[in-house]
Amino acid sequence: MNIEELRDKILKQDRRALARGITLVESARADHRTQAAELLEALRGEGKQALRVGLSGTPGVGKSTFIESFGMMLTAQGKRVAVLAVDPSSTRSGGSILGDKTRMERLSRDRNAFIRPSPSQSHLGGVARRSREAVALCEAAGFDVVLIETVGVGQSETVVAEMSDLFLLLLAPAGGDELQGVKRGIMEMADIILVNKADGDLKPAAMRTCADYAGALRLLRKRPQDPVGFPKAMTVSAVEENGLDTAWDEMTALTDWRRENGHWERRRAQQAQFWFHEEVKQGLLARLQQGDVQEALAALEGRVAAGEVTPSSAADKVLSILDVSAH
Ligand code: GDP
């Protein structure tokens, strides 16, 4: 594949080239990894900055309904919207496929929208780094908004937050009076909590849930990247398409403030550093899986168990053969 040609086509907003580029970054093949790195390097600093929006919520809260309605609203305003997914489930069994086009039928037919399902990968680290690279490709392809959907138990939210400018948490109205078991760590990541399904019979419960979360958010430690009033909770109805414009206005107000106050750039710079460290870790882990290292580990395990060598000197022996730069 000619990387220069692919680069030019992506910059010209060619959707097929974008899809090919994403397939390339998702591939685990060593030659593809090399080409992907070349492509990403060639696109670095090109294109404009998209607004990267992370969106999380448990299955059934209405993520796909929300993305469809919200995405359609944005494309109607002339914006180009990409939807990507970070799926932490290793098997997919039982769970819904995130970013699945059949869950967003209208949006998937929209010329100004691009939907890409989560790559099928067995571990979150691999999925996450590739999704981050897919975000970069969508940005180079001139999308105004990149929505990154996830569902999870904390870990996937963390990696999505690390590739997003804004993080939205979607909730459904609570039946009881607990805070739906949302972990504090996830709440702390949220810039805006959207309580969905604020329609029909569910509306009063949605309002209550929203008030509960607004209260809980006020108790969180103040973050430097938040203007007065943020993080905030609000109600929406993805089905009735209510509150979506207000949600967008709030997102815009928040990002404008962050841009003006240097937080936007700082966050992106910190994220780049985070992914740099992450890539180093992933590279080391991959190296550990290779045959010679596995053999050395296997050979030393028995000797460590038998007390013939101390754990630390055995580890030194293995580390001395890593020479990661050669791989
Ligand atoms: P996901 O698993 O988070 O993607 O959730 P879905 O978008 O598939 O929605 C799950 C269910 O909630 C579906 O039956 C939707 O029709 C319903 N739903 C989604 N949004 C709303 C909403 O705004 N109001 C109501 N009443 N139902 C909704």
Side-chain angles (χ1 to χ4, degrees):
M1 185 180 312
N2 184 332
I3 294 301
E4 207 170 310
E5 202 182 311
L6 193 57
R7 168 195 176 275
D8 291 346
K9 282 190 174 165
I10 289 175
L11 285 175
K12 286 195 189 117
Q13 311 191 342
D14 179 327
R15 301 163 67 91
R16 282 180 57 197
L18 174 61
R20 275 185 82 184
I22 296 180
T23 303
L24 192 62
V25 300
E26 284 174 356
S27 170
R29 260 173 56 180
D31 56 332
H32 286 170
R33 288 303 309 156
T34 310
Q35 286 185 317
E38 206 182 310
L39 176 65
L40 289 161
E41 191 61 44
L43 285 167
R44 184 171 51 85
E46 298 280 359
K48 61 172 184 217
Q49 279 191 333
L51 177 63
R52 307 171 181 173
V53 182
L55 174 75
S56 182
T58 49
V61 297
K63 287 184 300 304
S64 39
T65 313
F66 173 81
I67 292 172
E68 172 137 290
S69 302
F70 189 66
M72 297 291 292
M73 179 190 79
L74 295 179
T75 59
Q77 295 172 7
K79 297 186 177 67
R80 297 178 71 236
V81 179
V83 180
L84 303 171
V86 173
D87 190 348
S89 67
S90 50
T91 54
R92 295 263 181 87
S93 57
S96 54
I97 299 169
L98 294 177
D100 183 4
K101 288 181 195 175
T102 60
R103 293 164 67 227
M104 305 168 200
E105 244 177 90
R106 281 187 302 148
L107 192 63
S108 67
R109 286 197 302 269
D110 192 320
R111 290 299 302 161
N112 283 325
F114 177 88
I115 301 177
R116 181 83 180 190
S118 179
S120 50
Q121 276 287 318
S122 54
H123 68 107
L124 181 61
V127 174
R129 82 206 268 210
R130 284 164 195 147
S131 302
R132 176 190 54 97
E133 291 170 347
V135 170
L137 295 183
C138 291
E139 197 157 54
F143 283 90
D144 300 290
V145 179
V146 182
L147 282 168
I148 311 147
E149 179 190 11
T150 194
V151 54
V153 285
Q155 224 194 338
S156 72
E157 276 93 355
T158 308
V159 297
V160 169
E162 285 293 347
M163 58 181 97
S164 308
D165 302 310
L166 275 184
F167 192 77
L168 309 179
L169 179 60
L170 200 65
L171 299 174
D177 52 7
E178 332 159 21
L179 294 183
Q180 290 179 50
V182 173
K183 293 208 175 64
R184 189 189 167 93
I186 298 173
M187 285 246 311
E188 282 173 344
M189 268 179 245
D191 293 304
I192 301 176
I193 288 181
L194 298 170
V195 181
N196 189 31
K197 309 194 185 184
D199 48 51
D201 292 348
L202 291 170
K203 195 164 183 177
M207 307 280 279
R208 259 196 324 273
T209 304
C210 182
D212 287 348
Y213 276 94
L217 287 175
R218 277 194 292 275
L219 298 177
L220 293 179
R221 189 162 38 90
K222 188 97 187 90
R223 305 178 302 183
Q225 68 269 31
D226 293 327
V228 177
F230 283 92
K232 67 172 56 177
M234 35 192 308
T235 55
V236 291
S237 166
V239 164
E240 292 191 350
E241 303 184 8
N242 269 332
L244 305 180
D245 46 355
T246 317
W248 176 247
D249 289 345
E250 296 288 1
M251 290 160 65
T252 312
L254 178 58
T255 48
D256 285 350
W257 185 88
R258 284 187 179 162
R259 276 183 194 278
E260 282 157 21
N261 291 278
H263 295 291
W264 170 290
E265 287 302 326
R266 201 169 306 138
R267 181 169 172 139
R268 286 219 169 178
Q270 283 168 352
Q271 288 175 341
Q273 283 176 339
F274 171 89
W275 288 106
F276 162 52
H277 284 274
E278 203 53 31
E279 290 290 336
V280 172
K281 278 187 227 161
Q282 293 293 336
L284 270 173
L285 288 177
R287 180 71 184 93
L288 283 180
Q289 296 308 317
Q290 285 174 356
D292 57 337
V293 181
Q294 286 293 312
E295 274 167 32
L297 284 170
L300 284 159
E301 265 170 9
R303 296 186 56 206
V304 170
E308 291 166 19
V309 55
T310 65
S312 52
S313 63
D316 280 346
K317 281 196 175 66
V318 173
L319 292 173
S320 71
I321 63 164
L322 288 187
D323 187 19
V324 182
S325 62
H327 299 270

Coordinates of all heavy atoms in Angstrom, one line a residue, residues 58-66 96 103 149 196-199 202 236-240, ligand 1:
T58 N -23.8 2.3 30.8 CA -24.0 0.8 30.9 C -25.0 0.4 29.7 O -25.8 1.3 29.3 CB -24.6 0.4 32.2 OG1 -25.7 1.3 32.5 CG2 -23.6 0.5 33.3
P59 N -25.0 -0.8 29.3 CA -25.9 -1.2 28.3 C -27.4 -0.9 28.7 O -27.8 -1.1 29.8 CB -25.7 -2.8 28.2 CG -24.4 -3.0 28.8 CD -24.2 -1.9 29.8
G60 N -28.1 -0.4 27.7 CA -29.5 -0.1 27.9 C -29.8 1.4 28.3 O -31.0 1.8 28.3
V61 N -28.8 2.1 28.6 CA -29.1 3.5 29.0 C -29.5 4.4 27.8 O -30.1 5.5 28.0 CB -27.9 4.2 29.8 CG1 -27.6 3.6 31.1 CG2 -26.7 4.4 28.9
G62 N -29.2 3.9 26.6 CA -29.6 4.6 25.4 C -28.4 5.2 24.7 O -28.6 6.2 24.0
K63 N -27.3 4.6 24.8 CA -26.1 5.2 24.1 C -26.3 5.3 22.6 O -26.1 6.4 22.0 CB -24.8 4.4 24.4 CG -24.3 4.5 25.8 CD -23.0 3.8 25.9 CE -23.2 2.3 25.7 NZ -24.2 1.6 26.5
S64 N -26.7 4.2 22.0 CA -26.8 4.3 20.5 C -28.0 5.2 20.1 O -27.8 5.9 19.1 CB -27.0 2.9 19.9 OG -27.8 2.1 20.7
T65 N -29.1 5.2 20.8 CA -30.2 6.1 20.5 C -29.7 7.5 20.6 O -30.0 8.4 19.8 CB -31.4 5.8 21.5 OG1 -31.6 4.4 21.6 CG2 -32.6 6.5 21.0
F66 N -28.9 7.8 21.7 CA -28.4 9.1 21.9 C -27.4 9.5 20.8 O -27.5 10.6 20.2 CB -27.7 9.2 23.3 CG -27.0 10.6 23.5 CD1 -27.7 11.7 23.9 CD2 -25.6 10.7 23.2 CE1 -27.1 12.9 24.1 CE2 -25.0 11.9 23.4 CZ -25.7 13.0 23.8
S96 N -23.7 -6.1 23.7 CA -24.0 -5.5 22.3 C -22.7 -5.1 21.7 O -21.8 -4.7 22.4 CB -25.0 -4.4 22.5 OG -24.5 -3.4 23.4
R103 N -27.3 -0.4 14.9 CA -27.9 0.3 16.1 C -28.1 1.8 15.8 O -28.7 2.5 16.6 CB -27.0 0.1 17.3 CG -27.0 -1.3 17.8 CD -25.8 -1.5 18.8 NE -26.0 -0.8 20.0 CZ -25.1 0.0 20.6 NH1 -23.9 0.1 20.0 NH2 -25.3 0.6 21.7
E149 N -17.4 5.9 21.9 CA -18.4 5.2 22.7 C -17.7 4.1 23.5 O -16.9 3.4 23.0 CB -19.5 4.7 21.8 CG -20.6 3.9 22.6 CD -21.5 3.1 21.7 OE1 -21.2 3.0 20.5 OE2 -22.5 2.7 22.2
N196 N -30.6 10.3 30.6 CA -31.4 10.1 29.5 C -32.8 9.6 29.8 O -33.1 9.3 31.0 CB -30.7 9.1 28.6 CG -31.3 8.9 27.2 OD1 -31.9 9.9 26.7 ND2 -31.3 7.8 26.6
K197 N -33.7 9.5 28.9 CA -35.1 9.0 29.0 C -35.9 9.9 29.8 O -36.9 9.5 30.5 CB -35.1 7.6 29.6 CG -34.1 6.6 28.9 CD -34.4 5.2 29.2 CE -33.3 4.3 28.5 NZ -33.5 2.9 28.7
A198 N -35.6 11.2 29.8 CA -36.4 12.2 30.5 C -37.7 12.5 29.7 O -37.8 13.6 29.1 CB -35.6 13.5 30.8
D199 N -38.5 11.5 29.5 CA -39.7 11.7 28.8 C -40.8 10.8 29.3 O -40.5 9.8 30.1 CB -39.5 11.3 27.3 CG -38.7 10.0 27.1 OD1 -39.2 9.0 27.7 OD2 -37.7 9.9 26.4
L202 N -41.2 8.4 32.7 CA -39.9 8.4 33.3 C -39.3 9.8 33.6 O -38.3 9.9 34.3 CB -38.9 7.7 32.4 CG -39.0 6.2 32.2 CD1 -38.2 5.7 31.0 CD2 -38.7 5.5 33.5
V236 N -31.9 14.6 29.3 CA -32.1 14.6 27.9 C -33.1 13.5 27.6 O -33.3 12.6 28.4 CB -30.8 14.4 27.1 CG1 -29.8 15.5 27.1 CG2 -30.1 13.1 27.5
S237 N -33.7 13.6 26.4 CA -34.4 12.4 25.9 C -33.9 12.2 24.5 O -34.1 13.0 23.6 CB -35.9 12.7 25.9 OG -36.6 11.8 25.1
A238 N -33.2 11.1 24.3 CA -32.7 10.8 23.0 C -33.8 10.4 22.1 O -33.7 10.8 20.9 CB -31.7 9.6 23.1
V239 N -34.8 9.8 22.6 CA -36.0 9.4 21.7 C -36.7 10.6 21.2 O -37.0 10.7 20.1 CB -36.9 8.4 22.5 CG1 -38.2 8.3 21.8 CG2 -36.2 7.0 22.5
E240 N -37.1 11.5 22.2 CA -37.8 12.7 21.8 C -36.9 13.8 21.3 O -37.4 14.9 20.9 CB -38.7 13.1 23.0 CG -39.8 12.1 23.3 CD -40.8 12.7 24.3 OE1 -40.6 13.7 24.9 OE2 -41.8 12.0 24.5
Ligands
GDP1 P1 -27.4 1.3 24.7 O1 -27.4 -0.2 25.0 O2 -26.9 2.1 25.8 O3 -26.9 1.6 23.3 O4 -29.0 1.6 24.6 P2 -30.0 1.7 23.4 O5 -29.8 3.0 22.7 O6 -30.0 0.5 22.6 O7 -31.4 1.9 24.2 C1 -31.9 0.9 25.1 C2 -33.4 1.1 25.2 O8 -33.7 2.3 25.8 C3 -34.1 1.0 23.9 O9 -35.3 0.3 24.0 C4 -34.4 2.4 23.6 O10 -35.5 2.6 22.7 C5 -34.6 3.0 24.9 N1 -34.3 4.4 25.0 C6 -33.1 5.0 24.5 N2 -33.2 6.4 24.7 C7 -34.4 6.6 25.2 C8 -35.1 7.8 25.6 O11 -34.6 9.0 25.5 N3 -36.3 7.7 26.2 C9 -36.9 6.5 26.4 N4 -38.1 6.4 26.9 N5 -36.3 5.3 26.0 C10 -35.1 5.4 25.4

